[in-house]
Amino acid sequence: MKQILQNLSNGDTLLTEIPVPCPGHGQVLIRSERSLVSVGTERMLVAFGRANLLDKARQQPSRVVEVLAKIKSDGLQTTIEAVQSKLDRPIALGYSNAGIVVELGSGVRSYRPGDRVISNGPHSEYVAVPENLCAPIPDGVTFDEAAFTVVASIALQGIRLANPTFGETFVVTGLGLIGLITTQLLVAHGCNVIGIDLSSDKCRRAVEFGAVAVDLGVGDDPVATAKSLTHDMGVDGVIITASSKSAEPVHQAALMCRKRGRIVLVGVVGLELSREDFYEKELSFQVSCSYGPGRYDESYEVQGVDYPFGFVRWTAQRNFQAILSSIANRRLNLASLITHRFPFAKATDAYGEGIKDALGLLLDYQTDTPAVLKRTVVLPTSLASPIVPEVSVGVIGAGGFTSLVILPALKEIKLRLRTIASSKGVTSTHLGRKFGFERSTTNLDDVFDDPETNTIFITTRHDSHAKFVERALRSGKNVFVEKPLAITRDELASIKETYERQAAAFVMVGFNRRFSPLTIKMRQLLDTIIGPKSVIVTVNSGYIPKDHWTQDSVAGGGRVIGEACHFVDLIRFLMGHPILKVVATSAKSKNGAPVDDEVTITLSFSDGSMGTVHYLSSGHKSLSKERVEVFADGKVLQLDNFRSLAGFGWSGFRPVRLSKQDKGHKLEIATVIDAIKQGAPAPIPWDEIVEVTEVLLDAAEQIRAG
């Protein structure tokens, strides 16, 4: 299938062949009939992509601060690579789609194949979308009209926040597509509407919808008009749907409002607010978030948990339904806003001259459902694969870590890059082309069951690791899985059972820190000491919101299992002896609940050594993230952020400082591939992998138990 993708690094907008996505749990697969180009939003993305690095930085000053902090902690080269990788990832354009359901994911109850629906899916021939971000199209509503639904819901949500009542006077600043829809909806509410824009054509359209127009292009005065039409009382509210870097629209809105008027920002403008503008009139100001409650809430969007109707009357989906009802009842005229139409095969033309003066710009797909949906695509590659490769790799997962770390390391090694998989097919196709894979897929069967693949790299979310490891083992594949191996005891027990049933099973977990050249140097020095050692690892892990999936014990296992595992394994490697005991404690919140990213994990070893991990999220970003200190036999080793190693009391040892941070990823992967080629065991013994995983599960249980 084809999909429109935009590259943020150079601004290229391409119609790209990618595999059809498989609908996940709670998702529907939709064959697109129409989609609406959101001219303002998509123009901003395209312009951002075409800007040079300096201009990109000027547009996102908060990101510049983050980059500078990363340079200080991780080094310039590491930061440059991270920024380039981030910008290189393609963006799927579009979010207002109409089509026909062709396939259902598990658990879907509201739809059936053949249903006409709208969704927030991108510009693509097929889209897989959660139930809560779809709505059925009523009879009598065309695909052309329905394609406006999601964009129109953005306008509706802004109006709901403004809470207009019959007879009030409202100003709409900015008469683009959302502004004109806002105008119609306010008129339908029984409001007097004043529309403001620089375009005479858009002002004319607003008048046709029942508004009074203020044409800034010919010098009309919006404040004077507002006062004149309200007998000097001021308007009841202003909804700003304009896009501007200036804060003038907000200042102007304040001048037009009556005492205790309401200002709602739907568009994007400067927010240098003046206290004087708001103080005397006691004005309220609110920013509207997309198309309604539930947007950006993973439990609503992904997990399908709806908000109770009695407490949240208008969710995103219910706003969709309201818009569709208004179209069906002819209270909302959207067909008149269609100014441009492109066949999807020529969709990239819409991002040239055609997008500049457009209001409603529709993409017409004109596609039929094929007998078999193509979920694996062959990629053009300049890298010739060996006829009988020793290592043929399939990669499941195409996230940021995979693109920045795993794939560059694999590309440096002589092996066959067979298939890369991702849920939507966008990133896997992009990375597959970039790194020389033969195929991109959304169908995991084409990775696990492929007879030409003997090694699988698993880099997906933590809650999928265990099941993918087991399936790969049952398929007779060598397995590299990013940490953690498992996030529950049941998962670990099941993996152990499967591992033991497979002859010559090969499982490696991505505990890369032990492969850092500085870590290896530390181990060499410590091996000369007979007595017990004490290791202290301090991790300035940084804040992650509590609603992030890594903090979720079900999705990510929590930060102890999901991230602190690196440092338990690191200490295990440095000591070279089994862990006998673990004691884990955490900080407590005000209500006494454990804070599981403010923890101390203490380890006791069979040789009398001890190790401590201080995993802390409350530190400052400017401090290096990881420090390792070892005390033994009157000597000290101090490793700082895997860039420098200092020694105290070591005869003949000279401090080491690397030109860039090296956490061991490249050597780790090279060692894994070399072991597979030679038919050797995994670089980390299986018993050690299981031991570290069990210790982390113990630690997490202790913390949760308080």
Side-chain angles (χ1 to χ4, degrees):
M1 73 171 193
K2 300 287 188 182
Q3 180 167 347
I4 298 179
L5 301 176
Q6 203 252 334
N7 192 312
L8 287 181
S9 63
N10 56 24
D12 287 347
T13 305
L14 303 172
L15 193 60
T16 304
E17 179 75 20
I18 67 169
V20 175
C22 295
H25 178 77
Q27 291 186 328
V28 295
L29 182 67
I30 303 166
R31 186 192 75 211
S32 300
E33 293 288 337
R34 305 284 190 280
S35 61
L36 177 72
V37 175
S38 179
V39 178
T41 301
E42 295 182 43
R43 181 192 290 138
M44 286 173 56
L45 285 171
V46 171
F48 178 81
R50 291 172 179 168
N52 59 40
L53 279 175
L54 182 59
D55 287 338
K56 284 183 170 75
R58 286 170 176 160
Q59 293 179 53
Q60 294 190 323
S62 62
R63 297 293 187 189
V64 175
V65 174
E66 293 177 11
V67 168
L68 293 175
K70 187 172 179 65
I71 291 173
K72 185 174 181 180
S73 65
D74 297 349
L76 178 61
Q77 186 59 38
T78 300
T79 304
I80 290 173
E81 291 171 358
V83 171
Q84 289 175 336
S85 176
K86 189 78 171 178
L87 289 174
D88 184 57
R89 297 179 70 77
I91 300 295
L93 295 179
Y95 58 87
S96 199
N97 176 287
I100 298 172
V101 175
V102 294
E103 196 174 300
L104 305 177
S106 60
V108 174
R109 300 179 302 274
S110 304
Y111 303 100
R112 294 290 180 269
D115 288 350
R116 299 192 319 141
V117 296
I118 62 90
S119 77
N120 75 331
H123 303 311
S124 178
E125 289 181 318
Y126 291 88
V127 296
V129 183
E131 274 190 284
N132 279 350
L133 296 178
C134 301
I137 300 173
D139 293 340
V141 175
T142 66
F143 283 121
D144 282 3
E145 296 169 312
F148 283 80
T149 300
V150 176
V151 168
S153 295
I154 296 173
L156 179 58
Q157 176 61 14
I159 289 173
R160 295 205 189 283
L161 294 178
N163 193 26
T165 60
F166 188 89
E168 286 190 313
T169 299
F170 267 79
V171 171
V172 178
T173 301
L175 296 175
L177 180 60
I178 293 178
L180 289 171
I181 295 173
T182 302
T183 297
Q184 288 194 61
L185 291 170
L186 285 169
V187 170
H189 274 76
C191 295
N192 305 306
V193 182
I194 302 170
I196 301 174
D197 203 275
L198 286 162
S199 165
S200 298
D201 178 65
K202 292 175 181 177
C203 287
R204 176 187 58 77
R205 288 177 178 270
V207 171
E208 291 174 355
F209 293 141
V212 173
V214 175
D215 188 344
L216 300 179
V218 298
D220 288 353
D221 185 338
V223 177
T225 302
K227 289 184 176 180
S228 173
L229 294 177
T230 59
H231 307 290
D232 287 332
M233 298 296 293
V235 301
D236 298 283
V238 178
I239 298 178
I240 303 172
T241 56
S243 176
S244 171
K245 295 179 181 179
S246 170
E248 180 62 22
V250 180
H251 170 64
Q252 191 180 78
L255 296 179
M256 290 187 286
C257 276
R258 65 170 171 82
K259 190 176 181 65
R260 297 187 179 179
R262 295 97 76 190
I263 301 172
V264 174
L265 176 61
V266 175
V268 180
V269 299
L271 287 179
E272 294 79 21
L273 303 182
S274 166
R275 181 177 182 274
E276 183 179 348
D277 283 347
F278 287 80
Y279 175 73
E280 292 184 1
K281 292 183 179 180
E282 293 185 324
L283 301 177
S284 65
F285 177 81
Q286 190 167 4
V287 178
S288 179
C289 178
S290 197
Y291 24 87
R295 185 65 174 128
Y296 308 118
D297 180 348
E298 184 170 334
S299 65
Y300 179 87
E301 292 193 345
V302 178
Q303 299 171 18
V305 179
D306 199 2
Y307 294 169
F309 185 87
F311 293 88
V312 184
R313 175 63 182 89
W314 295 109
T315 60
Q317 186 182 61
R318 293 194 270 270
N319 276 340
F320 295 166
Q321 294 165 347
I323 290 294
L324 287 164
S325 176
S326 294
I327 299 172
N329 294 326
R330 302 303 158 193
R331 291 192 294 267
L332 194 56
N333 179 2
L334 299 178
S336 66
L337 295 176
I338 300 172
T339 58
H340 295 72
R341 185 188 298 270
F342 289 84
F344 189 64
K346 297 183 178 180
T348 54
D349 294 347
Y351 295 88
E353 293 301 316
I355 201 171
K356 291 185 177 180
D357 59 348
L359 282 173
L361 194 160
L362 286 180
L363 301 179
D364 190 340
Y365 289 79
Q366 302 172 332
T367 57
D368 296 321
T369 304
V372 177
L373 297 176
K374 191 176 181 181
R375 291 201 159 103
T376 298
V377 297
V378 176
L379 302 175
T381 174
S382 60
L383 303 180
S385 298
I387 298 174
V388 185
E390 296 171 276
V391 183
S392 179
V393 171
V395 176
I396 300 174
F401 178 79
T402 307
S403 65
L404 180 62
V405 176
I406 299 293
L407 298 184
L410 286 173
K411 189 175 181 180
E412 291 185 6
I413 304 169
K414 298 293 183 181
L415 48 74
R416 183 183 185 186
L417 296 176
R418 172 67 171 156
T419 309
I420 181 168
S422 65
S423 60
K424 295 182 179 179
V426 174
T427 51
S428 60
T429 301
H430 171 71
L431 295 177
R433 289 172 178 268
K434 179 178 179 180
F435 289 98
F437 280 81
E438 297 172 15
R439 308 188 304 172
S440 167
T441 188
T442 57
N443 182 10
L444 296 184
D445 291 346
D446 284 354
V447 181
F448 288 116
D449 300 338
D450 179 26
E452 298 185 46
T453 298
N454 62 14
T455 301
I456 294 179
F457 276 68
I458 299 166
T459 64
T460 49
R461 279 183 24 161
H462 300 167
D463 56 348
S464 65
H465 286 187
K467 64 181 179 182
F468 287 164
V469 168
E470 285 199 72
R471 184 169 178 189
L473 285 173
R474 289 194 297 268
S475 300
K477 313 297 188 186
N478 304 306
V479 183
F480 178 100
V481 58
E482 257 309 311
K483 52 77 189 168
L485 174 65
I487 61 176
T488 69
R489 291 197 184 279
D490 288 344
E491 287 181 350
L492 179 59
S494 185
I495 291 174
K496 288 167 64 177
E497 182 180 344
T498 303
Y499 179 91
E500 290 163 3
R501 287 201 304 263
Q502 305 301 312
F506 184 105
V507 175
M508 174 68 178
V509 176
F511 292 141
N512 56 280
R513 270 39 169 211
R514 62 164 64 200
F515 293 91
S516 167
L518 299 183
T519 303
I520 293 170
K521 179 64 175 177
M522 293 177 76
R523 173 66 186 263
Q524 292 170 347
L525 292 169
L526 293 173
D527 281 348
T528 65
I529 295 175
I530 298 175
K533 312 165 189 70
S534 296
V535 182
I536 301 171
V537 179
T538 304
V539 185
N540 180 30
S541 62
Y543 171 76
I544 293 180
K546 291 299 180 184
D547 60 356
H548 191 271
W549 69 266
T550 57
Q551 297 271 37
D552 185 343
S553 61
V554 175
R559 296 188 79 179
V560 169
I561 292 174
E563 296 178 13
C565 56
H566 272 308
F567 310 104
V568 171
D569 177 77
L570 174 60
I571 296 176
R572 174 65 175 84
F573 172 71
L574 292 174
M575 296 298 95
H577 293 277
I579 301 169
L580 296 184
K581 183 180 179 181
V582 57
V583 176
T585 57
S586 74
K588 300 290 191 299
S589 63
K590 290 182 179 180
N591 62 6
V595 181
D596 61 5
D597 55 3
E598 290 281 324
V599 304
T600 293
I601 302 171
T602 303
L603 308 169
S604 300
F605 291 83
S606 62
D607 70 334
S609 296
M610 65 178 184
T612 302
V613 178
H614 297 298
Y615 186 88
L616 309 169
S617 64
S618 56
H620 194 274
K621 290 182 179 180
S622 62
L623 179 69
S624 59
K625 289 186 176 181
E626 300 169 17
R627 173 171 291 207
V628 182
E629 296 172 307
V630 184
F631 299 80
D633 194 30
K635 303 176 179 67
V636 177
L637 289 172
Q638 189 176 72
L639 171 64
D640 187 46
N641 219 28
F642 296 92
R643 290 192 72 195
S644 64
L645 177 63
F648 305 87
W650 297 87
S651 177
F653 175 79
R654 300 183 65 179
V656 180
R657 182 169 182 84
L658 305 178
S659 60
K660 59 178 289 189
Q661 185 184 60
D662 189 343
K663 293 183 179 181
H665 294 105
K666 285 187 178 181
L667 181 58
E668 172 194 39
I669 291 174
T671 304
V672 168
I673 300 302
D674 189 55
I676 293 172
K677 287 180 178 179
Q678 297 180 21
I684 302 178
W686 173 247
D687 289 346
E688 267 184 56
I689 290 174
V690 172
E691 176 188 324
V692 169
T693 303
E694 288 176 337
V695 165
L696 267 296
L697 291 169
D698 285 343
E701 287 177 1
Q702 290 177 24
I703 290 167
R704 289 166 188 163

